[in-house]
Amino acid sequence: MIGLDMTLLALLMVAGVALDWLLGEVSRWHPLVGFGRYAQWLERRLNRLPGSHARGALAWSLAVLPLAALSVLMTILLARQSFWLAAAWHVVLLYFCIGLRSLRDHVMPIAQALKAGDLAAARSLTGRIVSRDTTQSQETDLAKAAVESLLENGNDAVFGTLFWFAVAGGPGALLFRLANTLDAMWGYRTPRFLAFGCVAARIDDGLNWIPARLTAWSYALLGNWRQARTCWRTQAPAWSSPNAGPVMSSGAGALGLALGGAAIYDGEVEQRPPLGMGRDAVAGDIVRAWKLVSRTAMLWLTVMLTISMLMTMLFTISTTGGPHA
């Protein structure tokens, strides 16, 4: 039964990714957008300066736990009604949580604008996906920002979601994405969020620890292995995030690019630790980074399907006593 369950989970994962690829991100009434607005409402009412860890923990619990519990309850109720309804529920949850097609739709127009020499459009498009100031950025700065965003969000929006779907189905994917969204909204080291967002940041760190390292290994495997491993080992410790460091340093090394370094945030230049090694990024490297992320997604799906088939074969052999002469 375990092997059969694993096979089903793998097929549902493929179906969810395929649905995302075919339909892309819904333009209106996206559940995660609604969740973000609810999180903003909670933060405005519970976050009082000076910030409080307890209030942050309460806000996180009110935001995530009811929805996670509801998804589990729906899974149980639908499974009692119909196998196919329950399967569809898992696929729909994964579809709304994963962002593979969305990554492509956000970064490829930046590459196209840069190739066309339209810096104004490229700056505007890049400013939509990163928090740094892009108003005076040149091609290299914009390409670097887009590649970094691709590499990091490959883990946050794609591979972490797939990992937790493999662990706990649709509810697992939902729990991860809700926690990751709160970290993106509250996990800042600013006076307003340093204490309040601490719980959200630490929970996301914990949920992301294994997926981030699997992502870093995958980037290395599909790119320049030796360089990716060197960059991961030497550069990741310099980053404050225990998960972004391995993912982005390995990805930058795999692509043979020099990322990190200076970026403007809130009008001030921030000197970030280096990522990768090699030349500066250009427009074509956005496409290369996207291909690395998409190939990694295909690798994960292939591995999941392969493991499920092997488990099914082993289960079948163990229950039938193996082949007979």
Side-chain angles (χ1 to χ4, degrees):
M1 188 64 183
I2 294 176
L4 296 176
D5 287 344
M6 185 73 176
T7 300
L8 174 62
L9 196 61
L11 293 174
L12 295 178
M13 181 184 292
V14 172
V17 173
L19 194 64
D20 169 68
W21 189 252
L22 289 172
L23 302 181
E25 189 175 76
V26 294
S27 57
R28 299 180 63 185
W29 308 107
H30 195 294
L32 287 180
V33 174
F35 174 76
R37 290 172 179 164
Y38 171 54
Q40 288 178 330
W41 179 84
L42 273 177
E43 189 270 331
R44 286 195 299 267
R45 280 153 182 77
L46 293 178
N47 190 9
R48 299 287 185 269
L49 293 177
S52 163
H53 290 84
R55 285 178 176 270
L58 175 62
W60 191 95
S61 300
L62 291 174
V64 174
L65 295 184
L67 293 174
L70 179 61
S71 71
V72 173
L73 178 61
M74 284 293 295
T75 301
I76 295 171
L77 293 177
L78 289 173
R80 290 176 177 174
Q81 294 296 318
S82 165
F83 165 84
W84 295 109
L85 282 177
W89 172 246
H90 283 288
V91 172
V92 168
L93 283 177
L94 179 58
Y95 163 65
F96 280 123
C97 291
I98 201 167
L100 182 61
R101 167 75 180 272
S102 177
L103 283 181
R104 190 201 70 168
D105 291 348
H106 281 90
V107 301
M108 294 306 284
I110 299 172
Q112 293 165 1
L114 288 175
K115 289 179 179 179
D118 191 347
L119 269 182
R123 288 166 177 165
S124 176
L125 291 167
T126 308
R128 297 176 187 176
I129 65 170
V130 298
S131 57
R132 71 192 72 176
D133 183 1
T134 61
T135 55
Q136 302 300 318
S137 298
Q138 300 304 307
E139 177 184 353
T140 296
D141 303 314
L142 297 169
K144 177 173 70 173
V147 170
E148 289 177 2
S149 179
L150 259 173
L151 294 175
E152 183 174 14
N153 284 293
N155 177 68
D156 291 347
V158 181
F159 309 124
T161 304
L162 291 178
F163 175 85
W164 282 102
F165 185 86
V167 171
L174 179 66
L175 172 65
F176 173 79
R177 283 298 276 151
L178 295 182
N180 186 251
T181 299
L182 290 186
D183 175 59
M185 297 179 68
W186 299 348
Y188 294 101
R189 296 177 182 273
T190 62
R192 182 175 184 85
F193 289 106
L194 185 60
F196 182 84
C198 181
V199 170
R202 296 292 79 80
I203 291 176
D204 181 70
D205 286 345
L207 292 175
N208 236 330
W209 199 91
I210 295 176
R213 280 142 189 85
L214 291 175
T215 301
W217 279 109
S218 301
Y219 286 164
L221 181 65
L222 295 174
N224 187 323
W225 168 266
R226 185 184 299 274
Q227 191 163 280
R229 292 289 295 123
T230 298
C231 294
W232 178 0
R233 184 179 65 255
T234 60
Q235 297 172 346
W239 284 76
S240 59
S241 169
N243 297 320
V247 167
M248 293 199 293
S249 60
S250 177
L255 293 168
L257 298 176
L259 305 178
I264 300 175
Y265 295 90
D266 298 321
E268 296 185 2
V269 177
E270 179 179 321
Q271 192 65 38
R272 302 169 305 149
L275 294 169
M277 59 178 68
R279 58 176 175 79
D280 291 334
V282 295
D285 294 315
I286 299 175
V287 179
R288 291 179 61 228
W290 157 248
K291 289 180 178 179
L292 178 63
V293 171
S294 61
R295 287 200 305 267
T296 301
M298 295 306 104
L299 172 65
W300 282 38
L301 292 178
T302 301
V303 169
M304 185 71 175
L305 285 169
T306 301
I307 292 174
S308 68
M309 288 188 293
L310 288 174
M311 291 182 67
T312 301
M313 291 173 57
L314 291 173
F315 173 79
T316 302
I317 293 172
S318 67
T319 54
T320 59
H324 297 282

